[in-house]
mmCIF file of all heavy atoms in Angstrom:
data_model
loop_
_atom_site.group_PDB
_atom_site.id
_atom_site.type_symbol
_atom_site.label_atom_id
_atom_site.label_comp_id
_atom_site.label_asym_id
_atom_site.label_seq_id
_atom_site.Cartn_x
_atom_site.Cartn_y
_atom_site.Cartn_z
ATOM 1 N N ARG C 717 97.095 105.288 110.790
ATOM 2 C CA ARG C 717 96.038 105.854 109.944
ATOM 3 C C ARG C 717 96.652 106.650 108.795
ATOM 4 O O ARG C 717 96.220 106.521 107.646
ATOM 5 C CB ARG C 717 95.129 106.753 110.791
ATOM 6 C CG ARG C 717 93.863 107.220 110.092
ATOM 7 C CD ARG C 717 92.984 108.001 111.070
ATOM 8 N NE ARG C 717 91.669 108.242 110.523
ATOM 9 C CZ ARG C 717 91.352 109.268 109.728
ATOM 10 N NH1 ARG C 717 92.307 110.130 109.392
ATOM 11 N NH2 ARG C 717 90.131 109.426 109.272
ATOM 12 N N ALA C 718 97.668 107.451 109.097
ATOM 13 C CA ALA C 718 98.336 108.225 108.057
ATOM 14 C C ALA C 718 99.014 107.303 107.053
ATOM 15 O O ALA C 718 99.028 107.581 105.835
ATOM 16 C CB ALA C 718 99.360 109.168 108.684
ATOM 17 N N GLN C 719 99.578 106.202 107.529
ATOM 18 C CA GLN C 719 100.218 105.216 106.652
ATOM 19 C C GLN C 719 99.196 104.621 105.684
ATOM 20 O O GLN C 719 99.472 104.459 104.491
ATOM 21 C CB GLN C 719 100.842 104.122 107.522
ATOM 22 C CG GLN C 719 101.556 103.021 106.772
ATOM 23 C CD GLN C 719 102.119 101.979 107.732
ATOM 24 O OE1 GLN C 719 102.395 102.276 108.902
ATOM 25 N NE2 GLN C 719 102.269 100.755 107.256
ATOM 26 N N ILE C 720 98.018 104.317 106.198
ATOM 27 C CA ILE C 720 96.954 103.755 105.348
ATOM 28 C C ILE C 720 96.500 104.777 104.318
ATOM 29 O O ILE C 720 96.327 104.461 103.137
ATOM 30 C CB ILE C 720 95.775 103.285 106.222
ATOM 31 C CG1 ILE C 720 96.186 102.062 107.049
ATOM 32 C CG2 ILE C 720 94.554 102.958 105.361
ATOM 33 C CD1 ILE C 720 95.186 101.675 108.126
ATOM 34 N N LEU C 721 96.312 106.020 104.751
ATOM 35 C CA LEU C 721 95.855 107.052 103.820
ATOM 36 C C LEU C 721 96.898 107.315 102.734
ATOM 37 O O LEU C 721 96.538 107.578 101.575
ATOM 38 C CB LEU C 721 95.532 108.336 104.581
ATOM 39 C CG LEU C 721 94.286 108.282 105.461
ATOM 40 C CD1 LEU C 721 94.173 109.540 106.315
ATOM 41 C CD2 LEU C 721 93.032 108.115 104.611
ATOM 42 N N SER C 722 98.162 107.227 103.074
ATOM 43 C CA SER C 722 99.208 107.389 102.073
ATOM 44 C C SER C 722 99.150 106.269 101.039
ATOM 45 O O SER C 722 99.256 106.511 99.824
ATOM 46 C CB SER C 722 100.582 107.416 102.751
ATOM 47 O OG SER C 722 101.612 107.509 101.790
ATOM 48 N N GLY C 723 98.969 105.045 101.510
ATOM 49 C CA GLY C 723 98.824 103.928 100.578
ATOM 50 C C GLY C 723 97.584 104.061 99.719
ATOM 51 O O GLY C 723 97.608 103.774 98.513
ATOM 52 N N ALA C 724 96.495 104.502 100.330
ATOM 53 C CA ALA C 724 95.254 104.691 99.575
ATOM 54 C C ALA C 724 95.427 105.737 98.489
ATOM 55 O O ALA C 724 94.935 105.568 97.363
ATOM 56 C CB ALA C 724 94.131 105.105 100.528
ATOM 57 N N ALA C 725 96.134 106.824 98.798
ATOM 58 C CA ALA C 725 96.359 107.869 97.800
ATOM 59 C C ALA C 725 97.079 107.309 96.587
ATOM 60 O O ALA C 725 96.739 107.619 95.439
ATOM 61 C CB ALA C 725 97.171 109.009 98.424
ATOM 62 N N THR C 726 98.087 106.468 96.819
ATOM 63 C CA THR C 726 98.833 105.860 95.716
ATOM 64 C C THR C 726 97.938 104.979 94.863
ATOM 65 O O THR C 726 97.974 105.034 93.622
ATOM 66 C CB THR C 726 99.998 105.029 96.282
ATOM 67 O OG1 THR C 726 100.883 105.887 97.010
ATOM 68 C CG2 THR C 726 100.766 104.338 95.170
ATOM 69 N N VAL C 727 97.110 104.164 95.500
ATOM 70 C CA VAL C 727 96.263 103.226 94.767
ATOM 71 C C VAL C 727 95.135 103.949 94.031
ATOM 72 O O VAL C 727 94.850 103.644 92.864
ATOM 73 C CB VAL C 727 95.704 102.147 95.712
ATOM 74 C CG1 VAL C 727 94.730 101.230 94.960
ATOM 75 C CG2 VAL C 727 96.843 101.331 96.317
ATOM 76 N N PHE C 728 94.501 104.918 94.672
ATOM 77 C CA PHE C 728 93.433 105.651 93.993
ATOM 78 C C PHE C 728 93.977 106.396 92.776
ATOM 79 O O PHE C 728 93.314 106.484 91.744
ATOM 80 C CB PHE C 728 92.759 106.627 94.958
ATOM 81 C CG PHE C 728 91.862 105.978 95.975
ATOM 82 C CD1 PHE C 728 91.941 106.326 97.322
ATOM 83 C CD2 PHE C 728 90.917 105.037 95.596
ATOM 84 C CE1 PHE C 728 91.109 105.739 98.263
ATOM 85 C CE2 PHE C 728 90.079 104.431 96.532
ATOM 86 C CZ PHE C 728 90.187 104.790 97.866
ATOM 87 N N ALA C 729 95.180 106.931 92.888
ATOM 88 C CA ALA C 729 95.784 107.640 91.761
ATOM 89 C C ALA C 729 96.063 106.697 90.597
ATOM 90 O O ALA C 729 95.890 107.059 89.430
ATOM 91 C CB ALA C 729 97.075 108.324 92.196
ATOM 92 N N ALA C 730 96.475 105.472 90.899
ATOM 93 C CA ALA C 730 96.832 104.518 89.850
ATOM 94 C C ALA C 730 95.622 103.785 89.277
ATOM 95 O O ALA C 730 95.541 103.541 88.067
ATOM 96 C CB ALA C 730 97.829 103.500 90.416
ATOM 97 N N ASP C 731 94.659 103.429 90.138
ATOM 98 C CA ASP C 731 93.573 102.527 89.734
ATOM 99 C C ASP C 731 92.204 103.180 89.671
ATOM 100 O O ASP C 731 91.242 102.539 89.238
ATOM 101 C CB ASP C 731 93.487 101.348 90.715
ATOM 102 C CG ASP C 731 94.772 100.546 90.780
ATOM 103 O OD1 ASP C 731 95.624 100.723 89.887
ATOM 104 O OD2 ASP C 731 94.947 99.755 91.724
ATOM 105 N N GLY C 732 92.077 104.454 90.099
ATOM 106 C CA GLY C 732 90.760 105.053 90.200
ATOM 107 C C GLY C 732 90.026 104.516 91.415
ATOM 108 O O GLY C 732 90.553 103.674 92.162
ATOM 109 N N TYR C 733 88.815 104.988 91.606
ATOM 110 C CA TYR C 733 88.054 104.532 92.770
ATOM 111 C C TYR C 733 87.525 103.125 92.567
ATOM 112 O O TYR C 733 87.755 102.230 93.391
ATOM 113 C CB TYR C 733 86.897 105.484 93.061
ATOM 114 C CG TYR C 733 86.031 105.008 94.205
ATOM 115 C CD1 TYR C 733 86.445 105.184 95.515
ATOM 116 C CD2 TYR C 733 84.826 104.349 93.974
ATOM 117 C CE1 TYR C 733 85.684 104.716 96.582
ATOM 118 C CE2 TYR C 733 84.055 103.885 95.025
ATOM 119 C CZ TYR C 733 84.482 104.070 96.326
ATOM 120 O OH TYR C 733 83.722 103.601 97.372
ATOM 121 N N GLU C 734 86.848 102.881 91.459
ATOM 122 C CA GLU C 734 86.235 101.570 91.259
ATOM 123 C C GLU C 734 87.291 100.490 91.115
ATOM 124 O O GLU C 734 87.112 99.362 91.579
ATOM 125 C CB GLU C 734 85.314 101.590 90.036
ATOM 126 C CG GLU C 734 84.494 100.320 89.887
ATOM 127 C CD GLU C 734 83.413 100.432 88.839
ATOM 128 O OE1 GLU C 734 83.513 101.316 87.965
ATOM 129 O OE2 GLU C 734 82.469 99.624 88.884
ATOM 130 N N GLY C 735 88.400 100.814 90.464
ATOM 131 C CA GLY C 735 89.445 99.813 90.252
ATOM 132 C C GLY C 735 90.256 99.498 91.491
ATOM 133 O O GLY C 735 90.922 98.457 91.557
ATOM 134 N N ALA C 736 90.241 100.371 92.464
ATOM 135 C CA ALA C 736 91.020 100.152 93.683
ATOM 136 C C ALA C 736 90.354 99.087 94.545
ATOM 137 O O ALA C 736 89.139 99.076 94.698
ATOM 138 C CB ALA C 736 91.144 101.452 94.472
ATOM 139 N N SER C 737 91.146 98.210 95.110
ATOM 140 C CA SER C 737 90.615 97.204 96.039
ATOM 141 C C SER C 737 91.217 97.425 97.418
ATOM 142 O O SER C 737 92.340 97.930 97.551
ATOM 143 C CB SER C 737 90.959 95.791 95.554
ATOM 144 O OG SER C 737 92.348 95.536 95.699
ATOM 145 N N MET C 738 90.457 97.032 98.426
ATOM 146 C CA MET C 738 90.963 97.174 99.786
ATOM 147 C C MET C 738 92.192 96.278 99.993
ATOM 148 O O MET C 738 93.111 96.645 100.742
ATOM 149 C CB MET C 738 89.867 96.842 100.789
ATOM 150 C CG MET C 738 88.714 97.839 100.801
ATOM 151 S SD MET C 738 89.196 99.463 101.437
ATOM 152 C CE MET C 738 88.797 99.274 103.189
ATOM 153 N N ALA C 739 92.247 95.129 99.312
ATOM 154 C CA ALA C 739 93.408 94.250 99.444
ATOM 155 C C ALA C 739 94.661 94.929 98.905
ATOM 156 O O ALA C 739 95.733 94.862 99.526
ATOM 157 C CB ALA C 739 93.153 92.937 98.709
ATOM 158 N N ARG C 740 94.537 95.580 97.758
ATOM 159 C CA ARG C 740 95.705 96.250 97.185
ATOM 160 C C ARG C 740 96.104 97.459 98.034
ATOM 161 O O ARG C 740 97.298 97.716 98.233
ATOM 162 C CB ARG C 740 95.402 96.685 95.744
ATOM 163 C CG ARG C 740 96.518 97.485 95.100
ATOM 164 C CD ARG C 740 96.437 97.447 93.588
ATOM 165 N NE ARG C 740 97.023 98.622 92.969
ATOM 166 C CZ ARG C 740 98.329 98.889 92.929
ATOM 167 N NH1 ARG C 740 99.195 98.048 93.481
ATOM 168 N NH2 ARG C 740 98.770 99.975 92.339
ATOM 169 N N ILE C 741 95.130 98.193 98.528
ATOM 170 C CA ILE C 741 95.446 99.335 99.398
ATOM 171 C C ILE C 741 96.191 98.849 100.639
ATOM 172 O O ILE C 741 97.194 99.457 101.048
ATOM 173 C CB ILE C 741 94.161 100.095 99.776
ATOM 174 C CG1 ILE C 741 93.599 100.811 98.543
ATOM 175 C CG2 ILE C 741 94.440 101.095 100.902
ATOM 176 C CD1 ILE C 741 92.220 101.386 98.737
ATOM 177 N N ALA C 742 95.728 97.753 101.240
ATOM 178 C CA ALA C 742 96.405 97.220 102.419
ATOM 179 C C ALA C 742 97.847 96.840 102.075
ATOM 180 O O ALA C 742 98.776 97.132 102.838
ATOM 181 C CB ALA C 742 95.644 96.015 102.956
ATOM 182 N N SER C 743 98.039 96.195 100.923
ATOM 183 C CA SER C 743 99.378 95.774 100.522
ATOM 184 C C SER C 743 100.300 96.969 100.321
ATOM 185 O O SER C 743 101.436 96.991 100.818
ATOM 186 C CB SER C 743 99.290 94.950 99.232
ATOM 187 O OG SER C 743 100.579 94.618 98.753
ATOM 188 N N VAL C 744 99.821 97.982 99.595
ATOM 189 C CA VAL C 744 100.645 99.158 99.329
ATOM 190 C C VAL C 744 100.928 99.919 100.617
ATOM 191 O O VAL C 744 102.028 100.469 100.810
ATOM 192 C CB VAL C 744 99.955 100.061 98.284
ATOM 193 C CG1 VAL C 744 100.667 101.402 98.157
ATOM 194 C CG2 VAL C 744 99.911 99.358 96.926
ATOM 195 N N ALA C 745 99.960 99.956 101.513
ATOM 196 C CA ALA C 745 100.137 100.661 102.788
ATOM 197 C C ALA C 745 101.000 99.876 103.777
ATOM 198 O O ALA C 745 101.438 100.435 104.787
ATOM 199 C CB ALA C 745 98.782 100.957 103.419
ATOM 200 N N GLY C 746 101.218 98.591 103.486
ATOM 201 C CA GLY C 746 102.038 97.785 104.387
ATOM 202 C C GLY C 746 101.326 97.364 105.648
ATOM 203 O O GLY C 746 101.948 97.250 106.719
ATOM 204 N N VAL C 747 100.009 97.130 105.538
ATOM 205 C CA VAL C 747 99.234 96.660 106.686
ATOM 206 C C VAL C 747 98.404 95.455 106.263
ATOM 207 O O VAL C 747 98.241 95.188 105.068
ATOM 208 C CB VAL C 747 98.294 97.772 107.237
ATOM 209 C CG1 VAL C 747 99.095 98.982 107.678
ATOM 210 C CG2 VAL C 747 97.242 98.161 106.200
ATOM 211 N N SER C 748 97.872 94.736 107.227
ATOM 212 C CA SER C 748 96.984 93.625 106.911
ATOM 213 C C SER C 748 95.589 94.146 106.576
ATOM 214 O O SER C 748 95.230 95.272 106.945
ATOM 215 C CB SER C 748 96.896 92.668 108.103
ATOM 216 O OG SER C 748 96.197 93.293 109.182
ATOM 217 N N LYS C 749 94.809 93.333 105.892
ATOM 218 C CA LYS C 749 93.431 93.740 105.600
ATOM 219 C C LYS C 749 92.643 93.937 106.892
ATOM 220 O O LYS C 749 91.800 94.826 106.984
ATOM 221 C CB LYS C 749 92.743 92.700 104.717
ATOM 222 C CG LYS C 749 93.127 92.783 103.244
ATOM 223 C CD LYS C 749 92.354 91.770 102.410
ATOM 224 C CE LYS C 749 90.881 92.107 102.348
ATOM 225 N NZ LYS C 749 90.129 91.175 101.462
ATOM 226 N N GLY C 750 92.929 93.103 107.886
ATOM 227 C CA GLY C 750 92.238 93.258 109.159
ATOM 228 C C GLY C 750 92.524 94.602 109.794
ATOM 229 O O GLY C 750 91.610 95.262 110.298
ATOM 230 N N THR C 751 93.803 95.015 109.742
ATOM 231 C CA THR C 751 94.154 96.323 110.283
ATOM 232 C C THR C 751 93.467 97.432 109.501
ATOM 233 O O THR C 751 92.943 98.390 110.084
ATOM 234 C CB THR C 751 95.684 96.523 110.231
ATOM 235 O OG1 THR C 751 96.304 95.553 111.087
ATOM 236 C CG2 THR C 751 96.071 97.915 110.695
ATOM 237 N N LEU C 752 93.469 97.297 108.180
ATOM 238 C CA LEU C 752 92.819 98.305 107.347
ATOM 239 C C LEU C 752 91.354 98.463 107.734
ATOM 240 O O LEU C 752 90.857 99.598 107.900
ATOM 241 C CB LEU C 752 92.937 97.907 105.871
ATOM 242 C CG LEU C 752 92.220 98.789 104.852
ATOM 243 C CD1 LEU C 752 92.717 100.226 104.920
ATOM 244 C CD2 LEU C 752 92.400 98.228 103.444
ATOM 245 N N TYR C 753 90.649 97.341 107.902
ATOM 246 C CA TYR C 753 89.218 97.420 108.228
ATOM 247 C C TYR C 753 88.979 97.892 109.669
ATOM 248 O O TYR C 753 87.884 98.345 109.982
ATOM 249 C CB TYR C 753 88.548 96.076 107.978
ATOM 250 C CG TYR C 753 88.182 95.872 106.525
ATOM 251 C CD1 TYR C 753 88.936 95.042 105.706
ATOM 252 C CD2 TYR C 753 87.095 96.535 105.961
ATOM 253 C CE1 TYR C 753 88.610 94.850 104.368
ATOM 254 C CE2 TYR C 753 86.756 96.361 104.628
ATOM 255 C CZ TYR C 753 87.518 95.522 103.834
ATOM 256 O OH TYR C 753 87.188 95.359 102.508
ATOM 257 N N ASN C 754 89.975 97.784 110.526
ATOM 258 C CA ASN C 754 89.822 98.374 111.859
ATOM 259 C C ASN C 754 89.720 99.895 111.785
ATOM 260 O O ASN C 754 89.068 100.522 112.627
ATOM 261 C CB ASN C 754 91.019 98.007 112.746
ATOM 262 C CG ASN C 754 90.931 96.593 113.284
ATOM 263 O OD1 ASN C 754 89.862 95.978 113.291
ATOM 264 N ND2 ASN C 754 92.067 96.062 113.730
#
């Protein structure tokens, strides 16, 4: 969970909220989209 939140922080800072995608957050966090949605 902390790993995902760290990746999300990076993406939100770079892309804003609307520009951020769950796919990119998963990629930056180093997890699969399925794991992210869990």
Side-chain angles (χ1 to χ4, degrees):
R717 190 175 191 275
Q719 180 181 335
I720 291 169
L721 290 172
S722 177
T726 299
V727 176
F728 286 133
D731 301 346
Y733 177 78
E734 188 170 20
S737 71
M738 293 292 268
R740 176 159 153 71
I741 291 170
S743 175
V744 170
V747 300
S748 69
K749 282 183 68 176
T751 296
L752 175 59
Y753 278 104
N754 282 342

